[in-house]
Every structure is written in C-alpha cells, then in structure tokens.
C-alpha cells in the first residue's frame, strides 16, 4: 500500500482569489462546526465569512496566513500586532483564529502554520507571541504546549457554548530574534 504525498504550504496573503476565498470559507465553517478554532460556535456561511476575510485583509495590524493542502486553502491564522500608539507592547503580538479544517488534519499543517507565524513575528521585531485557547480544544493545547508555549493563566469563565461556561488558557512564547540579543535576555533572572 502506497501512502499519498501531499503538498503543504503556509503563506502570508494580501489578497484572495474567489476560488481561494470559497475554499477558505468552507474550511472555516468545517472547523467551526467541529469546535476547533475561531470564536464562532455556529457555521457562518459563505457571505459572512467572505466579509470577515475581506475585512481582515484591510486591517493594517492584522496579517493573514493561509494553510494549503495540495494547493487548496484548508485553514488560516492571524497575527495581530499592537496598534502603533501602543509603544509599550510593540514587542509582542497575538496569534489568533488559528485552525485547520478537520478533513485536512494529520499532515503537519498546524505546526507549519504556527512556525510561519512565529517566523514572521520575529522578523518584524516581535519578541513575544501570545495566544489563548478554550479548554475544550485539547488538540490545540497539546500542539501549543508541544511547541514550547508557556501557559501563564486560566480564565474560568472564558466562553459560553451551548449554555455551558468554558474555561480558557492563556499562553506566551518568547521568540528567537532574527538578529540581536538572544531570547534569554528578555527574561533576566529574578533578584
């Protein structure tokens, strides 16, 4: 029995073609229905998701990454940079809305996507990447913890889903700079 070889790609996008947008909306709804990612808990449909992604592309502080399996969009993630007037937190950024459609999991795209977001964040001067995840998203928690993210807190009333209160976990990861001081210099030993 031969194993199929797939082409994996994660890219930063500034525009989406109509076919790519259709695939991305389908993947997003599939992930929402399955409960894996995004803040939505019910499928949104193509029209709402099209508006969402077109809006994301217009916001200067947001960078959209699209994961592709054999050329087709099957997931995405967003890197959110602090607004320009927030100089004190300019060194950090937020990884949000990261997901891979259920039918495209198991190929390593989630790891690749997080790596690409981290690389871009570090290359643009961010030294810390923050994220949060619902406690019910065990696969995502395992992924982030396996990639070296540190859980620093839990919010016991993070989300409400189907009448149930769900906790959420908060994580951070110090990023290796492209050049300059090593990440160990970010957190000097306590005196």
């Amino acid at each position: 029995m031969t194993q199929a070889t797939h082409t994996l790609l994660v890219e930063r996008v500034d525009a989406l073609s109509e076919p790519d947008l259709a695939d991305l909306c389908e993947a997003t709804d599939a992930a929402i229905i399955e409960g894996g990612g995004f803040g939505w808990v019910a499928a949104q449909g193509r029209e709402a998701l099209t508006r969402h992604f077109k809006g994301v592309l217009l916001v200067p502080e947001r960078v959209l990454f699209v994961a592709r399996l054999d050329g087709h969009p099957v997931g995405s993630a967003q890197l959110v940079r602090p607004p320009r007037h927030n100089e004190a937190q300019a060194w950090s950024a937020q990884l949000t809305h990261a997901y891979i459609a259920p039918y495209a999991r198991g190929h390593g795209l989630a790891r690749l996507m997080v790596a690409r977001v981290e690389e871009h964040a570090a290359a643009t001067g961010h030294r810390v990447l923050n994220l949060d995840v619902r406690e019910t998203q065990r696969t995502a928690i395992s992924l982030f913890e396996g990639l070296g993210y540190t859980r620093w807190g839990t919010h016991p009333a993070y989300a409400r889903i189907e009448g149930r209160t769900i906790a959420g976990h908060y994580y951070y990861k110090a990023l290796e700079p492209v050049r300059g001081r090593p990440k160990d210099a970010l957190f000097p030993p306590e005196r």
Side-chain angles (χ1 to χ4, degrees), residues 19-40:
D20 281 354
L21 192 52
D23 285 348
L24 190 55
C25 290
E26 178 186 320
T28 304
D29 265 344
I32 292 167
I33 290 166
E34 191 267 340
F38 259 75
W40 285 305

Side-chain angles (χ1 to χ4, degrees), residues 118-133:
E118 289 175 359
E119 289 166 6
H120 182 80
T124 54
H126 300 292
R127 301 296 299 275
V128 175
L129 197 55
N130 299 303
L131 63 90
D132 52 272
V133 61

Side-chain angles (χ1 to χ4, degrees), residues 19-38 40 43-46 49 53 66-69 72-76 97-105 109 113:
D20 281 354
L21 192 52
D23 285 348
L24 190 55
C25 290
E26 178 186 320
T28 304
D29 265 344
I32 292 167
I33 290 166
E34 191 267 340
F38 259 75
W40 285 305
Q44 296 299 299
R46 172 114 187 251
L49 291 173
F53 285 112
V66 172
R68 295 177 182 272
L69 180 64
H72 298 282
V74 294
S76 70
H97 298 309
Y99 66 94
I100 300 294
Y103 52 81
R105 294 180 185 158
L109 270 171
M113 186 163 56

Side-chain angles (χ1 to χ4, degrees), residues 10-188:
V10 175
E11 61 184 346
R12 176 183 172 202
V13 297
D14 295 320
L16 291 165
S17 68
E18 283 304 314
D20 281 354
L21 192 52
D23 285 348
L24 190 55
C25 290
E26 178 186 320
T28 304
D29 265 344
I32 292 167
I33 290 166
E34 191 267 340
F38 259 75
W40 285 305
V41 295
Q44 296 299 299
R46 172 114 187 251
E47 187 177 323
L49 291 173
T50 295
R51 281 193 311 270
H52 169 77
F53 285 112
K54 286 183 175 183
V56 167
L57 292 172
L58 294 175
V59 179
E61 290 85 14
R62 289 188 179 258
V63 181
L64 180 64
F65 293 83
V66 172
R68 295 177 182 272
L69 180 64
D70 298 330
H72 298 282
V74 294
S76 70
Q78 295 175 37
L79 176 68
V80 182
R81 299 181 307 248
R84 288 185 183 154
H85 69 272
N86 191 349
E87 292 176 335
Q89 292 180 337
W91 75 320
S92 67
Q94 179 87 15
L95 169 60
T96 188
H97 298 309
Y99 66 94
I100 300 294
Y103 52 81
R105 294 180 185 158
H107 301 288
L109 270 171
R111 275 183 183 283
L112 181 60
M113 186 163 56
V114 173
R116 292 293 179 268
V117 172
E118 289 175 359
E119 289 166 6
H120 182 80
T124 54
H126 300 292
R127 301 296 299 275
V128 175
L129 197 55
N130 299 303
L131 63 90
D132 52 272
V133 61
R134 292 193 304 256
E135 70 176 347
T136 55
Q137 296 171 319
R138 289 172 181 44
T139 303
I141 290 168
S142 178
L143 170 73
F144 292 127
E145 290 179 356
L147 291 172
Y149 284 79
T150 301
R151 184 187 306 183
W152 63 266
T154 297
H155 188 311
Y158 174 82
R160 284 288 284 172
I161 300 174
E162 297 175 353
R164 199 170 126 233
T165 302
I166 310 272
H169 303 304
Y170 290 84
Y171 291 88
Y172 76 91
K173 182 177 183 180
L175 302 175
E176 287 292 342
V178 175
R179 60 189 174 286
R181 297 185 310 172
K183 72 178 180 183
D184 294 342
L186 294 175
F187 305 103

